Amino acid sequence: MSGAYEELQPYLERIQAFQTAKVLFEWDNETLAPKEAGPNTSRVVGTLSGEYFSVITDPKVMELVKLCRKEELGQAEAAVVRELAEEIEKLERVPAKEYREFAELTSEGSRIWARARKEKDFELFAPTLKKLVEYTKKFASYRAKEGQKLYDVLLDDYEKGFDMETLDGFFGALKEQLVPFLKKVTDSGVMIRDDFLTGDYDEADQEAIGRFFAEYVGFDFHRGVMAVSAHPFTTNLHNKDVRITTSYNSHVDDSLFSVIHESGHAIYELGIPDELTQTLVGQGASMGMHESQSRFFENIIGRNQAFWEPVYHRLQEQFPRQLGHVTAEQFVRAVNKVEPSLIRTQADELTYSLHVLIRYEIEKMLIEENLEVEKLPEIWADKYEEYLGVRPEDVSEGVLQDIHWSQGAFGYFPSYALGSAFGAQLYRYMKGQMDFEGLLRKGDIKTIREFLRENIHRHGKLKTSRQMLLDVTGEDFNPQYYIDYLTDKYGKLYNL
Amino acid sequence: MSGAYEELQPYLERIQAFQTAKVLFEWDNETLAPKEAGPNTSRVVGTLSGEYFSVITDPKVMELVKLCRKEELGQAEAAVVRELAEEIEKLERVPAKEYREFAELTSEGSRIWARARKEKDFELFAPTLKKLVEYTKKFASYRAKEGQKLYDVLLDDYEKGFDMETLDGFFGALKEQLVPFLKKVTDSGVMIRDDFLTGDYDEADQEAIGRFFAEYVGFDFHRGVMAVSAHPFTTNLHNKDVRITTSYNSHVDDSLFSVIHESGHAIYELGIPDELTQTLVGQGASMGMHESQSRFFENIIGRNQAFWEPVYHRLQEQFPRQLGHVTAEQFVRAVNKVEPSLIRTQADELTYSLHVLIRYEIEKMLIEENLEVEKLPEIWADKYEEYLGVRPEDVSEGVLQDIHWSQGAFGYFPSYALGSAFGAQLYRYMKGQMDFEGLLRKGDIKTIREFLRENIHRHGKLKTSRQMLLDVTGEDFNPQYYIDYLTDKYGKLYNL
């Protein structure tokens, strides 16, 4: 270790500790904390964020980062310094007071959002959302390079190298090819039965089967926790403590596939090596790469006929009354049924990216076009009607369905669609390297998971998602694989 | 607010934030964290403790404290400065590195203890315990005033004004009067049936009834959480987030009365006023005063015939098969049955203080007489045989039964007995002010709880326990009330 890098260690330890504490408070807030705890706890979280901010913007830290950049560092060390330099650049222009206010606002925000969503009352959340947008724009303006658009600043936080120009192209291609394809699907006349997925699926049984499948795909309960929250998510304290949540309703597939999805995120974080965990590069490469893994597990593995062959009986045993008479093939067809709908997290694989497209367009309007927050419910509903032919009846199945904005995460949504596209590109490559479906049929998820660990997970944040994709598949990002994957899979299912 | 006191605010905020974060990590560690999370999480907790330490020992803070002491401050402000000055005095002599190591050790310690207890393997815990004792003694030696004994330094942390001399007197009185009384009880020939308390009491039903009784005595689930851990405890983030745990086994009274006990602790913390919460005086006055409240709820309220009259039917409804044929009177006699036993938390009210006496004597030996940790299991067993006539068969029902030492809490145990004595003195006074049993018979816990809130809880840590007792009852601490309470209650039960 170099002198300056060694001197940096205590600062990095503190950054890590404040960050981990904040993660635990967020987890606790979403899963367990009592209703009235909010304001007092926000004060604590605000102080911790302030401390994080103070370390990052400590002149001594900035000086050490400069010194480090002149020194010979190992790959991981250099990456840590690069991440820290970026974080400094992000924060140094934000006044400490504003940063702290924003942290308190996001802590309180998800609590208010949860209540507003439950009470189907957008007005309850609107003032908070307005403030969140204002802070977000203000912060982006502090950081914007000359001529850089504010939304591009935000997009860059989640996915480097994917700005509005690129994303307009990406979503344009999806829209151009998938919208007419979707039309063919809905006009095909093929009816897929899925009534058996809805019913009195006992919550405890759903939890039991969820735990089984989390473990089956590779979630390690010795290093992880599964709990309940309004909106499923994954978080981690480090590579020995990774946590997923789900929520239960009468649709058995909702919780089942959300568990497999979050397990994909979790397996990524569990695959971070000990050398990288608890450092600034000890996490997934990007939001998009993270989503590529979660959606890979959920869709490419989890909604695959081959996946269910060795293990469908286990689901039947848990729900003999509901699924005893349903074949594996019928079940797999049902969980792949295409049906334009209102809730993103419950959307089928094909229409999913249109949900993301709507959010992308609305975020652009919020950040770039001064769209008034009050108009959101209607614009949201209009866009759903236009793209998907469905219109939400209330805000809880409309604009309030996602937690992201309440946490100040604007620019995150596009990663969901990018992740699916990354996953499709990886899948295409992997099929050339291994008998993918054959492995699933043997119940061998491990070989697939190990490939992902070896090629993606173990690198943490050492490389960008784009570089990683290039290194693994030998090719730059190419969205056509995603479109081909979808049209191929759903073409077969709908006899097109 | 004075100038210096105002300048102190940001430091106090940080102290509070680090403290609250540590509380949440402890809670999480005991209730939920995955098995392998320990070492990485300990590193985080260690860093947070280090930060806490840095603020307390910051020369600027010490200077401000000195300035504050020269200024006119309100009662609460003066108390905060007093607490801070004491905390500084405690920590300034401890080297930062050692403080941090100790924090990591206690974080890891309770995890190792839990495993050792489960595996009934003292050797697993012994090296950690040894280190804990060494650190504790070393820290006490840094802080000891001239001629002050190390154990007195520790006792003072939990209960001001109760040193070994006082406690030798207190425990001496208990021993002198209660041991012969206990002999009379066990020789009385009165047999109390309690077989119905043990059986296949479903865990979910126990949880449901536990929640009912927590709420019945006044625990507020909008400001609190109940969970499961190896050893029941109460903790709080602030007065809007107070958390209790319990554990379930085949003895229905274990979890039932532990819930009422922890609810007593929780009600204390829920009664801290908004002006004091999240400050250094926003918590119970002392460990002993805390235990006085928990044991007041558990024993003086909860094991009172009058308490059960209006509400016993609720318990019968939850467990019709097990308790449908048992009368309220039979039930109350059973939960007051005297039976010398091995586990402190399951001990009856009469023998309880003998369990504490054993721990007091052993702690004195560990801290003052260099007792070797390796000898603990045997000494423990010998003392149980001598005082209670029972001998543990393994360490999990012997020396490993309590979590306290694993958390570095030496000097805490005496508070349990003191708390019972405080409670008896309060009870004696309250009976002169209100128809105590009449209120219980009407299901009116509120009047009793409000008395405690008004006279004890709302003062937080503004006064010492001893002062509070004097202010409420008009009399200094007098252990005779405790002895009278016990000999009166159990004299009646055993026809003496």
Side-chain angles (χ1 to χ4, degrees), chain A residues 84-148:
Chain A
L84 183 54
E86 277 176 21
E87 195 66 9
I88 290 172
E89 212 188 307
K90 255 186 227 171
L91 293 187
E92 66 174 338
R93 295 185 195 156
V94 179
K97 190 174 154 283
E98 290 181 15
Y99 179 80
R100 199 197 137 127
E101 285 163 3
F102 183 66
E104 289 188 19
L105 190 65
T106 54
S107 169
E108 189 63 5
S110 46
R111 191 179 296 269
I112 295 171
W113 162 78
R115 202 166 64 239
R117 182 187 188 225
K118 196 175 164 199
E119 295 175 15
K120 305 178 197 294
D121 182 359
F122 184 71
E123 300 303 311
L124 208 61
F125 182 53
T128 307
L129 180 56
K130 201 166 178 171
K131 278 190 233 163
L132 284 163
V133 172
E134 279 162 14
Y135 273 101
T136 300
K137 287 174 70 171
K138 194 156 60 171
F139 288 7
S141 75
Y142 294 149
R143 293 162 49 206
K145 297 190 179 61
E146 213 188 301
Q148 195 184 16

Side-chain angles (χ1 to χ4, degrees), chain B residues 31 41 97 144 152 175 265 277 284 320 373 379 452:
Chain B
T31 56
T41 302
K97 189 173 155 282
D152 280 339
K175 209 153 128 183
H265 281 302
T277 195
V373 159
I379 288 192
L452 296 170

Side-chain angles (χ1 to χ4, degrees), chain A residues 273-298:
Chain A
D274 290 343
E275 312 86 76
L276 297 187
T277 195
Q278 298 190 300
T279 76
L280 289 173
V281 294
Q283 52 185 300
S286 71
M287 291 303 140
M289 195 50 91
H290 238 298
E291 283 301 318
S292 84
Q293 299 305 291
S294 56
R295 300 190 70 74
F296 195 97
F297 275 85
E298 178 190 346

Side-chain angles (χ1 to χ4, degrees), chain B residues 11 25 36 71 84 105 123 132 134 141 161 177 245 299 311 331 401 416 427 454 456 470:
Chain B
Y11 298 98
F25 274 105
E36 294 181 22
E71 287 177 344
L84 183 54
L105 191 64
E123 299 304 312
L132 284 162
E134 279 163 14
S141 75
Q177 298 179 63
T245 71
N299 294 322
V311 81
F331 175 78
Q401 68 184 267
Y416 288 119
Y427 178 49
E454 181 61 26
I456 312 271
L470 179 62

Side-chain angles (χ1 to χ4, degrees), chain B residues 273-425:
Chain B
D274 290 343
E275 313 86 76
L276 297 187
T277 195
Q278 298 190 299
T279 76
L280 288 173
V281 294
Q283 51 184 301
S286 71
M287 292 303 141
M289 195 49 91
H290 238 300
E291 282 302 319
S292 84
Q293 300 305 290
S294 57
R295 300 191 70 74
F296 196 97
F297 275 85
E298 178 189 346
N299 294 322
I300 293 173
I301 294 178
R303 294 186 204 267
N304 196 318
Q305 170 74 28
F307 172 79
W308 288 98
E309 284 174 21
V311 81
Y312 178 64
H313 68 93
R314 183 64 192 74
L315 189 65
Q316 287 183 306
E317 283 154 26
Q318 196 82 41
F319 301 110
R321 199 164 36 81
Q322 297 93 332
L323 296 176
H325 60 287
V326 177
T327 67
E329 206 205 324
Q330 285 175 310
F331 175 78
V332 174
R333 286 173 65 85
V335 301
N336 281 298
K337 182 176 181 176
V338 174
E339 195 161 41
S341 69
L342 290 166
I343 305 291
R344 179 183 57 84
T345 55
Q346 295 161 17
D348 59 78
E349 195 180 3
L350 181 61
T351 54
Y352 186 83
S353 53
L354 301 182
H355 289 259
V356 178
L357 170 66
I358 290 169
R359 285 152 180 80
Y360 172 67
E361 290 182 350
I362 289 180
E363 283 191 343
K364 266 172 73 175
M365 292 165 79
L366 273 173
I367 307 295
E368 292 296 331
E369 295 159 30
N370 296 318
L371 171 65
E372 280 171 51
V373 159
E374 287 73 17
K375 293 191 179 151
L376 274 176
E378 208 180 328
I379 288 192
W380 184 282
D382 289 347
K383 285 196 182 286
Y384 263 80
E385 199 157 6
E386 188 185 341
Y387 291 107
L388 290 149
V390 288
R391 190 175 183 92
E393 286 187 10
D394 60 55
V395 285
S396 82
E397 57 178 27
V399 68
L400 287 187
Q401 68 184 267
D402 293 308
I403 197 173
H404 304 63
W405 293 342
S406 78
Q407 298 176 326
F410 297 88
Y412 184 123
F413 284 119
S415 301
Y416 288 119
L418 283 174
S420 301
F422 294 171
Q425 184 167 341

